[in-house]
Amino acid sequence: MLLKLDNISFKYPNAETHVFEGLSHHIDEPGFHALFGPSGVGKTSFAKILCNEIKAFTGQIHTEDIETILYSYNLERLPGWSNVGDHIAKITPPSHVEKSEVLVECFGIEKCLNRRFAELSLGQQNRVNLLRYLLQDFNVLIMDESLANVDELTREKIILKVKEMFPDIIFLYISHNIVEVSKFCRQILVFRSIPKNPQTLLVKGQDLAMGQTLTKKDHELTMLEIMNAS
Amino acid sequence: MLLKLDNISFKYPNAETHVFEGLSHHIDEPGFHALFGPSGVGKTSFAKILCNEIKAFTGQIHTEDIETILYSYNLERLPGWSNVGDHIAKITPPSHVEKSEVLVECFGIEKCLNRRFAELSLGQQNRVNLLRYLLQDFNVLIMDESLANVDELTREKIILKVKEMFPDIIFLYISHNIVEVSKFCRQILVFRSIPKNPQTLLVKGQDLAMGQTLTKKDHELTMLEIMNAS
Amino acid sequence: MLHRRLYQFLIIYSLGLSGLFLIKYTLNLSNYVIPGPANLWATCREVWLRYFFDTGDTLAVAIIGHITSTCLAIFVGIVGRQATWVGSFVKVAAYNVQAYPIVALAPIIFILLGDGFISRLLIAAMICYFPILLSVLGIMAEPVVDIEHFYRITGRMRWQLEIKIRAFENMNKLITVIAGSATLAMAGTIVAEFIAANAGIGYSIRIALYQSDLSKILIALFLIGLSLSVYQGLLEFSGYLAKKKWEVPKGGIV
Amino acid sequence: MLHRRLYQFLIIYSLGLSGLFLIKYTLNLSNYVIPGPANLWATCREVWLRYFFDTGDTLAVAIIGHITSTCLAIFVGIVGRQATWVGSFVKVAAYNVQAYPIVALAPIIFILLGDGFISRLLIAAMICYFPILLSVLGIMAEPVVDIEHFYRITGRMRWQLEIKIRAFENMNKLITVIAGSATLAMAGTIVAEFIAANAGIGYSIRIALYQSDLSKILIALFLIGLSLSVYQGLLEFSGYLAKKKWEVPKGGIV
Amino acid sequence: DPSVEVTYRLKWLFNTSVVGDLYAKDYGFFDKAGLSVTIKEGGPERDAIKELELGYAQFGVASADQVIRARSKGAPVVVIAQLFQVNPLQWIYRADTMTVKNISDLKGRTVGITYGGNDETIMRTLLAKENITEQDVKLFSVRYDYTPFYQKKVDIWPVYRNSQGITVGDKLRAEGEEIGFLDPAGFGVKFVANSVVTSEKMLKERPEVVKAFVTALIQAWEASLSPENEQKALKLLEKYDKDTTADVRKRQLALTAGFVKPSPGVRIGTIDLSAWKQTEDIMLKLKQIPEPVKVEKAINSSMMEKSK
Ligand SMILES: Nc1ncnc2c1ncn2[C@@H]1O[C@H](COP(=O)(O)OP(=O)(O)OP(=O)(O)O)[C@@H](O)[C@H]1O
Ligand SMILES: Nc1ncnc2c1ncn2[C@@H]1O[C@H](COP(=O)(O)OP(=O)(O)OP(=O)(O)O)[C@@H](O)[C@H]1O
Ligand SMILES: [Mg+2]
Ligand SMILES: [Mg+2]
């Protein structure tokens, strides 16, 4: 399994400066990989390059054993003509129905199923949206602030459960929560504003899994490392 | 200065259960007041009741020395026909121009001014949107996850600056970040899911101001208190 | 809603009529140019029942034409929305046909279809489908990114779904256009009857025009306006029900 | 874009013509029902220059009518968008006027305005403004909450701003409708000339109809379609430029 | 001495039927009479009588049924000259499939009429004369489009003999078909066609203008139809009626002359009072007017006579 970016450069058509210049990175194992960095540094653009929504970049993307890259973000909406439960039922392949039930419970959205998407709170909307992506077949899922409006307790619960249920998937987790990324991610790709060189630094995270306990000291060290990197 | 809610009950027209039942609360001093609680508990609904967007509730709202309550949230957009700088210039009263310059610098959005809103990253959009509210005349500002997509460093900088610049304003700060609310808010109104009684609990926060330092111990205690409350 | 539409129509009609009477009496015109109230009333008693049924006829054809053209417009709009060659071709075809005044096309239509019901229906539909088409084209060409993204990236997007999403998100606009174009269906049917039929209120208007009988025309206009108000009121009411069914209540009403 | 519109029109016209010829020769219809190619060609050589200038005349009036009716529709749409009594009254009035076929209104229009340029313009505008009106009504009635919220809660909302926001957010739809309704402006002008004027291609069509000369009508239709394709192509190109100016590039094109 | 400006609203488009009117303008007859005349084309949506009242026109051409209807509704319209002595409205048919020697020959045929038009009035009168009811013939609603006739769905179709009578006839002949015409006058129905009208007010307040106008107009008509002026008249028509070929215009002119001046002894413009009365009778019988209008009161021949 390999996701490799080689010497990527990109500039928005009407912008003066580049978002990336000669950025390279590679991921070769499943798990949670954070994309971290100050707002406006290019995390979303990076994600869009990966999932082919942005095409006007230079450089190569190379993949091995990866068929489907999905990209979810926190502003998505569900269509309004059916309630959330029906929508989920509709987009769930038969083989994933069981998974769906487990996830609904863990995400705490049972009460949302018979309501329409527009009738949910922001955090509920976030969860419902992420859930439907998890019910697809994929190798890589980019979560662009997908849980940004969910409370921390629920978020932790979700991350742990997802890590347990999808051990073979590469998750690219975009979040501004340093506590969280250092705690749950295997590695953290820290983006730095463009004059800084290199443009990215890689930090090893605590990669906490369900049932494990965190050493406070190590966690704080990771956080410090991330902070120094950015 | 007084913002008093008395025995508020509210249910969405097509929902089975109440969001609030007999909720009371009062705020009588300026500063940052957090609204905290699990996703879907009713924070946004609470804010909408305060700013009169939801009208179908029972109970009384009583204010003293409060003329204008503003409500900002993280999904707002600016119109597309002018760039951000022009828009801000247009909605800034002459007396606040200086304030505008200070805030733009502190928010780190100088580079965004000559771009259009749709060309900004999510966190940049959040900041631009909050900024324009701060340039109005108001007594209460509700910030409903207004900075949810901004990185933590920038967010801290913004909160500290705002606290310093607007000492006479009541801010109702809705956020899922427990570290942040316990650190910067004067008090935290913790919403609890409806079967729990009472429906809200009040926790005193660290209310950190610019130049002050935080006692780690106290901070952790506050966080613990909040966690226990919810 | 219906009720309001009706009395607003009555106000408008009365205003128009008063305006005509005003002109008549200021310029001292004869009943031939503008009929007086007595004249109008006499004509009304004479023809209203016949005209009433004629209008009913016309309305029935108009409703069928309206439905036909709504389907037609949605179909053409869906095909024409695509940025492909075929899409733009269909669009150009639809536009061009529209540019030709019906009077010029009528001979060709009659050659092809005879002068029966079908020709009338076609003419009615042709006149009323265009506004719907334009709206459908505008709506269908504009992606609803935040909803469509999921379907697109997971490879689930089908054209039917795309249409459903865009139509649903713009339901209010579609309802406005469809309900509004009822007026054109009515006008179209009348024009069709005017140039083709032996029945309906358009036919009666043609005879009245030949006889320079403005009283009859005024009565016909009254009945047309009335029946249209009813039809449109009902359409708007259904639209309102549909909207209500799908709308998300915000707790904004006390 | 313009180029494509033109040759697509030529294809459509050729298809239509071939269809007619096909019918003619299959059903063995005589030249007076459907003229043969030789007949058509002779007529073409005889009238094309005159018809060409006539069409130019008509196009000029149509453009003025198009501009007028766009302004009119936007005006009525803006007033009628309000959920107030006046708003719904204006809407009902606008709808009712539309329901009356022009032929029935023409006598009244001529009584009021004589048969000069103004009457013709009015008729052309009346025919073309309705689709724009419906779209404007649909667009203006629907709030863009995420943008409007700020203005509303800070008490800065003015109706002009509201209109600006909604129009801007729906620019694509508006451009589609305005460019599309050019066809109706053309059709409207032709109808107006047909019943009122003594110039323009509508007048020529009327004469051809009275002379029962289908060849002339076919040639007129050709010139109408051609000039319309040019006009509409230009409109769409301006629309494209406007869109490009305001669109946010997403980095999606290589 | 500045000339008097007046507007003259015709009943129909510029074609051979209005040759005298155009002649008066283009060859200076109106100028000589001290009049500056604007001639406006007519059409189905045009009504000269209404324009007289509204002041949009001072003179106009209207058909007799229009005049009678207007009078019955109190319009102050006066007939000052009758342009057509014979109504050019006839019915065309394919002579190789039928002939109309008697009205009863129409039995079992599909007959085209314009509902509401004066051809309906004339045809109903013809049929009533022979006691033919609507069961005996099939009436077909006619519009400007000839397709049903061309497709032989309708056997006999109303035309103006001097205009479409020629063009439509030519089309059929070109395909080798024989044509024939049914002329109502041949069966004793004299329904007056186009006449020159003005308002009572005009006649009362500016009789000299009316007189000058009628005189000039009639002189022009006489001139336009006299054989020595044929080339001048045809040149005029070429200018105003570009959509008709020279050959057709020439034949139309000859036919028109026959309707306007059936014999050398008849002075153009002569008002045929008995025909007017018959016209009124017919309309009364068919309930097109509620009560008699005494059409003679609407007729003023004096303008014509004095001009001698
Ligand atoms: N329009 C609506 N109709 C029915 N129920 C609604 C509607 N909007 C919100 N709700 C429900 O009301 C409850 C409170 O919603 P609210 O948006 O106030 O939550 P919140 O505390 O802001 O949550 P979050 O942190 O996720 O934003 C939720 O359970 C939500 O599902
Ligand atoms: N369409 C666009 N045109 C021009 N510039 C753009 C466009 N979209 C984004 N940008 C700019 O590109 C840079 C990277 O944006 P991006 O959205 O990738 O940032 P991000 O890291 O996701 O930030 P955030 O954490 O705030 O979401 C930003 O400075 C932004 O202003
Ligand atoms: Mg982003
Ligand atoms: Mg919320």
Side-chain angles (χ1 to χ4, degrees):
Chain A
M1 208 167 192
L2 180 68
L3 180 61
K4 187 156 175 265
L5 293 99
D6 202 21
N7 200 22
I8 302 284
S9 296
F10 172 67
K11 188 174 101 56
Y12 279 100
N14 53 348
E16 303 98 51
T17 53
H18 273 72
V19 180
F20 307 118
E21 263 187 305
L23 181 145
S24 298
H25 182 55
H26 80 277
I27 295 172
D28 52 10
E29 7 164 56
F32 265 62
H33 301 254
L35 303 181
F36 190 83
S39 160
V41 81
K43 302 177 295 296
T44 299
S45 309
F46 183 83
K48 286 186 177 168
I49 286 175
L50 271 184
C51 75
N52 210 22
E53 263 187 42
I54 285 176
K55 299 188 179 69
F57 62 92
T58 60
Q60 265 78 46
I61 295 176
H62 181 71
T63 59
E64 268 168 36
D65 295 330
I66 288 176
E67 268 179 31
T68 316
I69 301 180
L70 296 185
Y71 170 58
S72 79
Y73 60 99
N74 65 332
L75 302 179
E76 287 179 73
R77 291 185 292 138
L78 265 62
W81 60 75
S82 64
N83 66 30
V84 168
D86 291 346
H87 177 81
I88 290 175
K90 187 124 192 210
I91 54 92
T92 308
S95 53
H96 293 352
V97 172
E98 226 166 293
K99 209 190 270 176
S100 163
E101 281 157 17
V102 178
L103 284 171
V104 164
E105 208 248 280
C106 162
F107 278 41
I109 50 172
E110 302 96 331
K111 280 191 305 184
C112 304
L113 292 184
N114 58 359
R115 278 197 257 151
R116 273 173 297 154
F117 191 73
E119 291 169 351
L120 303 182
S121 82
L122 214 54
Q124 291 168 336
Q125 292 185 338
N126 278 187
R127 282 176 275 165
V128 166
N129 183 46
L130 178 61
L131 182 106
R132 58 178 183 160
Y133 279 93
L134 293 172
L135 297 174
Q136 309 305 311
D137 291 312
F138 58 97
N139 310 105
V140 177
L141 175 62
I142 308 170
M143 292 162 63
D144 191 352
E145 312 202 26
S146 293
L147 295 172
N149 310 98
V150 180
D151 59 288
E152 288 179 354
L153 275 179
T154 314
R155 203 153 59 193
E156 293 208 350
K157 208 172 143 195
I158 290 174
I159 294 175
L160 286 174
K161 188 76 185 177
V162 168
K163 283 178 78 164
E164 187 193 60
M165 283 177 75
F166 301 89
D168 303 325
I169 301 285
I170 296 177
F171 289 95
L172 290 179
Y173 190 73
I174 303 179
S175 161
H176 284 300
N177 194 321
I178 189 169
V179 180
E180 193 176 72
V181 295
S182 54
K183 191 164 163 189
F184 295 109
C185 293
R186 175 184 289 255
Q187 55 179 24
I188 298 106
L189 182 69
V190 181
F191 286 77
R192 308 158 88 204
S193 316
I194 210 155
K196 290 192 192 160
N197 206 311
Q199 216 189 328
T200 56
L201 282 177
L202 203 61
V203 175
K204 207 175 148 347
Q206 292 298 312
D207 199 13
L208 193 74
M210 206 178 294
Q212 295 178 343
T213 43
L214 190 71
T215 327
K216 208 169 164 192
K217 198 77 180 275
D218 293 345
H219 186 204
E220 279 176 0
L221 263 174
T222 308
M223 294 207 283
L224 207 65
E225 212 178 327
I226 297 174
M227 262 176 327
N228 290 339
S230 39
Chain B
M1 212 170 190
L2 180 68
L3 180 61
K4 189 157 174 265
L5 294 98
D6 203 18
N7 200 23
I8 301 286
S9 296
F10 171 68
K11 189 173 100 54
Y12 279 99
N14 53 348
E16 305 97 51
T17 53
H18 273 73
V19 179
F20 307 118
E21 263 188 304
L23 182 146
S24 297
H25 182 55
H26 80 276
I27 294 171
D28 52 10
E29 5 165 57
F32 266 61
H33 302 255
L35 303 182
F36 189 83
S39 161
V41 79
K43 303 178 293 297
T44 299
S45 309
F46 184 83
K48 285 186 178 169
I49 287 175
L50 271 184
C51 76
N52 211 21
E53 263 187 41
I54 286 176
K55 299 188 179 70
F57 62 91
T58 59
Q60 264 81 46
I61 295 175
H62 181 71
T63 59
E64 268 169 36
D65 295 330
I66 288 176
E67 268 179 32
T68 316
I69 300 179
L70 296 185
Y71 170 57
S72 78
Y73 62 100
N74 65 332
L75 302 179
E76 288 179 73
R77 291 186 290 139
L78 265 62
W81 60 76
S82 63
N83 66 29
V84 168
D86 290 347
H87 177 81
I88 290 176
K90 189 126 191 208
I91 54 91
T92 308
S95 53
H96 293 352
V97 172
E98 224 165 296
K99 211 190 270 175
S100 164
E101 282 158 17
V102 178
L103 285 172
V104 164
E105 208 249 276
C106 161
F107 278 42
I109 50 172
E110 301 95 332
K111 280 191 304 184
C112 304
L113 293 184
N114 58 359
R115 278 197 259 153
R116 272 173 298 154
F117 190 73
E119 291 169 351
L120 303 183
S121 82
L122 213 55
Q124 290 167 335
Q125 293 185 338
N126 278 187
R127 282 176 275 165
V128 166
N129 184 45
L130 178 61
L131 182 105
R132 60 179 182 158
Y133 278 93
L134 292 172
L135 296 174
Q136 309 305 310
D137 291 311
F138 58 96
N139 310 104
V140 177
L141 175 62
I142 308 171
M143 291 161 64
D144 190 351
E145 312 202 25
S146 293
L147 295 173
N149 310 99
V150 180
D151 59 289
E152 289 179 351
L153 273 179
T154 313
R155 203 153 60 192
E156 293 209 350
K157 207 170 144 197
I158 289 174
I159 294 176
L160 286 173
K161 188 74 185 178
V162 168
K163 284 178 77 164
E164 187 193 61
M165 282 178 75
F166 300 88
D168 303 325
I169 301 285
I170 296 177
F171 289 95
L172 290 180
Y173 189 72
I174 302 180
S175 162
H176 285 299
N177 193 321
I178 189 169
V179 179
E180 190 175 76
V181 296
S182 55
K183 190 163 162 188
F184 295 108
C185 293
R186 176 184 289 256
Q187 55 178 25
I188 299 106
L189 182 68
V190 182
F191 286 76
R192 308 158 89 205
S193 316
I194 212 159
K196 292 194 190 161
N197 205 312
Q199 216 189 326
T200 55
L201 281 176
L202 205 59
V203 174
K204 209 177 147 343
Q206 292 296 314
D207 200 11
L208 193 75
M210 204 178 290
Q212 293 178 346
T213 44
L214 190 69
T215 328
K216 209 172 165 190
K217 198 77 179 274
D218 292 348
H219 186 205
E220 280 177 359
L221 263 174
T222 307
M223 293 208 283
L224 206 66
E225 212 178 327
I226 296 173
M227 257 165 346
N228 289 338
S230 38
Chain C
M1 198 143 46
L2 180 58
H3 166 242
R4 191 201 212 171
R5 260 200 170 279
L6 273 179
Y7 78 77
Q8 282 181 337
F9 162 70
L10 291 179
I11 293 175
I12 289 160
Y13 188 83
S14 316
L15 283 178
L17 208 59
S18 316
L20 282 181
F21 287 154
L22 197 75
I23 293 172
K24 176 183 168 71
Y25 292 113
T26 354
L27 299 184
N28 197 17
L29 300 174
S30 74
N31 284 338
Y32 183 67
V33 182
I34 297 175
N39 202 292
L40 198 63
W41 179 238
T43 314
C44 178
R45 290 182 49 181
E46 186 196 327
V47 299
W48 83 268
L49 195 68
R50 189 154 50 84
Y51 276 23
F52 181 79
F53 287 110
D54 284 350
T55 311
D57 263 19
T58 304
L59 186 62
V61 180
I63 291 173
I64 302 174
H66 191 204
I67 295 168
T68 314
S69 58
T70 304
C71 300
L72 197 72
I74 289 174
F75 174 77
V76 175
I78 284 167
V79 179
R81 118 208 103 105
Q82 292 154 331
T84 61
W85 197 93
V86 176
S88 103
F89 184 74
V90 167
K91 227 168 77 180
V92 170
Y95 279 32
N96 263 294
V97 168
Q98 196 59 34
Y100 300 150
I102 288 296
V103 278
L105 287 183
I108 299 173
I109 292 175
F110 295 138
I111 289 176
L112 297 180
L113 298 175
D115 62 344
F117 175 74
I118 295 294
S119 292
R120 276 150 66 191
L121 196 64
L122 182 71
I123 292 174
M126 275 177 66
I127 286 181
C128 124
Y129 96 118
F130 201 60
I132 311 182
L133 173 68
L134 287 180
S135 271
V136 172
L137 278 175
I139 286 168
M140 287 305 159
E142 210 164 311
V144 186
V145 177
D146 289 343
I147 295 181
E148 291 175 18
H149 172 81
F150 171 78
Y151 294 101
R152 229 172 271 290
I153 202 154
T154 59
R156 293 173 178 278
M157 189 55 104
R158 304 284 166 274
W159 63 267
Q160 299 94 326
L161 187 64
E162 187 176 290
I163 287 157
K164 195 170 166 188
I165 290 171
R166 295 180 189 177
F168 193 87
E169 283 292 301
N170 291 284
M171 194 164 53
N172 275 331
K173 288 173 200 126
L174 282 177
I175 289 174
T176 305
V177 171
I178 291 175
S181 66
T183 55
L184 288 179
M186 193 74 183
T189 311
I190 295 172
V191 169
E193 289 168 349
F194 196 86
I195 56 184
N198 307 327
I201 194 73
Y203 171 72
S204 302
I205 288 179
R206 182 173 60 167
I207 294 179
L209 271 180
Y210 272 119
Q211 298 177 342
S212 269
D213 198 337
L214 196 56
S215 346
K216 282 186 185 162
I217 291 175
L218 288 174
I219 288 157
L221 292 186
F222 178 77
L223 287 168
I224 293 169
L226 201 68
S227 58
L228 190 81
S229 297
V230 173
Y231 179 43
Q232 204 153 43
L234 290 177
L235 276 179
E236 276 181 2
F237 188 66
S238 335
Y240 167 79
L241 289 183
K243 246 186 270 183
K244 228 180 120 108
K245 177 163 160 41
W246 294 113
E247 215 172 43
V248 173
K250 299 271 177 235
I253 318 131
V254 185
Chain D
M1 199 142 48
L2 180 57
H3 166 243
R4 190 200 215 175
R5 262 202 168 278
L6 272 179
Y7 79 78
Q8 283 181 337
F9 162 70
L10 291 180
I11 294 175
I12 289 160
Y13 188 82
S14 318
L15 283 179
L17 209 59
S18 318
L20 278 182
F21 287 152
L22 196 75
I23 292 171
K24 177 182 168 71
Y25 292 112
T26 3
L27 300 185
N28 196 17
L29 296 176
S30 47
N31 278 332
Y32 58 68
V33 183
I34 296 175
N39 203 300
L40 200 63
W41 177 238
T43 313
C44 178
R45 289 183 47 181
E46 185 195 327
V47 299
W48 82 269
L49 194 69
R50 193 152 51 82
Y51 276 22
F52 180 79
F53 287 111
D54 284 350
T55 312
D57 263 20
T58 304
L59 187 62
V61 180
I63 292 173
I64 302 174
H66 192 201
I67 295 168
T68 314
S69 57
T70 305
C71 298
L72 198 70
I74 290 174
F75 175 76
V76 175
I78 284 167
V79 178
R81 119 208 103 105
Q82 292 154 332
T84 59
W85 197 92
V86 176
S88 101
F89 184 75
V90 167
K91 228 167 76 179
V92 171
Y95 280 30
N96 263 293
V97 169
Q98 196 59 34
Y100 299 149
I102 288 297
V103 278
L105 287 183
I108 299 174
I109 292 176
F110 294 145
I111 288 178
L112 298 179
L113 299 175
D115 66 339
F117 178 73
I118 294 294
S119 292
R120 277 150 62 191
L121 195 65
L122 182 71
I123 292 173
M126 273 176 69
I127 286 180
C128 126
Y129 97 117
F130 201 60
I132 311 180
L133 173 67
L134 286 180
S135 271
V136 172
L137 278 175
I139 286 168
M140 287 304 159
E142 210 163 308
V144 185
V145 177
D146 289 344
I147 296 182
E148 291 175 18
H149 172 82
F150 171 79
Y151 294 101
R152 230 171 271 290
I153 202 154
T154 58
R156 289 172 183 280
M157 190 54 105
R158 304 282 166 274
W159 63 266
Q160 299 93 326
L161 187 63
E162 189 176 289
I163 288 158
K164 195 171 168 188
I165 291 171
R166 296 181 188 177
F168 193 86
E169 284 292 301
N170 292 284
M171 193 163 54
N172 275 332
K173 291 175 198 124
L174 281 178
I175 288 174
T176 306
V177 171
I178 290 175
S181 66
T183 56
L184 289 180
M186 194 72 182
T189 310
I190 295 172
V191 169
E193 288 169 349
F194 195 86
I195 55 184
N198 29 33
I201 195 72
Y203 173 74
S204 301
I205 289 180
R206 178 168 68 167
I207 292 174
L209 276 178
Y210 287 129
Q211 294 181 341
S212 190
D213 197 336
L214 195 56
S215 333
K216 280 185 186 165
I217 291 175
L218 288 174
I219 289 156
L221 292 187
F222 178 77
L223 289 167
I224 294 170
L226 201 69
S227 58
L228 191 79
S229 296
V230 174
Y231 179 41
Q232 206 154 43
L234 291 177
L235 276 179
E236 276 180 3
F237 187 68
S238 339
Y240 167 79
L241 290 183
K243 248 187 266 182
K244 227 179 118 111
K245 177 163 159 43
W246 293 113
E247 216 172 41
V248 172
K250 299 271 178 232
I253 317 131
V254 185
Chain E
D1 195 10
S3 58
V4 184
E5 290 194 9
V6 291
T7 297
Y8 180 33
R9 168 67 76 185
L10 300 180
K11 174 103 169 77
W12 204 245
L13 306 177
F14 289 155
N15 65 11
T16 316
S17 296
V18 301
V19 60
D21 304 317
L22 298 173
Y23 205 92
K25 181 165 172 67
D26 272 39
Y27 292 117
F29 288 77
F30 285 141
D31 294 344
K32 246 181 275 163
L35 299 171
S36 164
V37 180
T38 308
I39 301 187
K40 287 188 172 175
E41 285 181 280
E45 278 77 25
R46 293 268 166 263
D47 190 329
I49 299 175
K50 284 183 180 167
E51 299 199 0
L52 294 181
E53 261 194 70
L54 289 162
Y56 295 147
Q58 283 69 46
F59 298 97
V61 176
S63 62
D65 59 326
Q66 267 182 317
V67 172
I68 291 168
R69 252 189 220 106
R71 287 295 292 196
S72 94
K73 289 195 179 156
V77 58
V78 199
V79 177
I80 48 179
Q82 177 180 336
L83 286 178
F84 281 79
Q85 298 305 320
V86 180
N87 194 333
L89 184 75
Q90 301 187 359
W91 272 259
I92 188 171
Y93 57 86
R94 293 181 173 80
D96 34 16
T97 60
M98 66 184 283
T99 48
V100 187
K101 292 247 154 44
N102 292 303
I103 295 301
S104 55
D105 290 339
L106 292 178
K107 278 187 186 172
R109 298 283 176 181
T110 304
V111 177
I113 55 169
T114 313
Y115 281 103
N118 52 13
D119 56 315
E120 180 191 4
T121 313
I122 294 171
M123 182 51 76
R124 286 191 189 284
T125 307
L126 284 172
L127 296 177
K129 275 191 152 208
E130 299 287 322
N131 287 321
I132 299 173
T133 65
E134 282 200 40
Q135 274 91 56
D136 302 320
V137 296
K138 190 160 170 270
L139 294 181
F140 182 92
S141 173
V142 157
R143 29 184 195 268
Y144 54 79
D145 167 41
Y146 284 78
T147 310
F149 178 64
Y150 288 157
Q151 293 178 315
K152 303 188 177 145
K153 277 190 198 152
V154 178
D155 298 307
I156 179 164
W157 193 273
V159 289
Y160 282 97
R161 178 69 186 88
N162 58 335
S163 55
Q164 300 117 316
I166 292 178
T167 49
V168 172
D170 283 355
K171 282 176 197 279
L172 297 194
R173 279 206 206 90
E175 301 293 314
E177 289 171 332
E178 285 296 312
I179 55 164
F181 291 94
L182 181 163
D183 180 7
F187 300 96
V189 175
K190 285 170 100 187
F191 196 93
V192 179
N194 291 352
S195 299
V196 182
V197 292
T198 189
S199 63
E200 277 175 359
K201 183 164 163 248
M202 189 79 190
L203 199 62
K204 200 166 131 215
E205 291 174 2
R206 303 164 81 188
E208 72 293 343
V209 175
V210 178
K211 200 178 127 192
F213 180 83
V214 176
T215 310
L217 188 69
I218 298 303
Q219 279 171 1
W221 267 100
E222 293 278 6
S224 69
L225 295 181
S226 80
E228 67 267 26
N229 292 331
E230 194 191 2
Q231 285 317 314
K232 273 175 92 178
L234 287 175
K235 219 177 112 203
L236 193 64
L237 289 175
E238 189 184 350
K239 173 176 161 197
Y240 284 102
D241 185 9
K242 294 195 178 71
D243 275 292
T244 309
T245 60
D247 160 63
V248 171
R249 284 194 295 256
K250 192 170 173 190
R251 284 153 60 209
Q252 284 180 338
L253 186 62
L255 271 178
T256 303
F259 293 125
V260 174
K261 195 176 173 73
S263 62
V266 179
R267 208 168 82 85
I268 293 180
T270 308
I271 299 175
D272 181 351
L273 200 60
S274 71
W276 278 91
K277 282 185 176 157
Q278 195 193 1
T279 306
E280 183 184 345
D281 281 345
I282 290 171
M283 290 179 70
L284 196 59
K285 224 174 266 165
L286 292 176
K287 297 208 176 65
Q288 295 196 347
I289 45 173
E291 52 207 27
V293 297
K294 305 231 172 61
V295 71
E296 56 275 14
K297 283 201 253 164
I299 286 170
N300 187 323
S301 315
S302 62
M303 292 295 137
M304 291 264 315
E305 279 155 18
K306 278 182 200 159
S307 71
K308 226 166 206 176

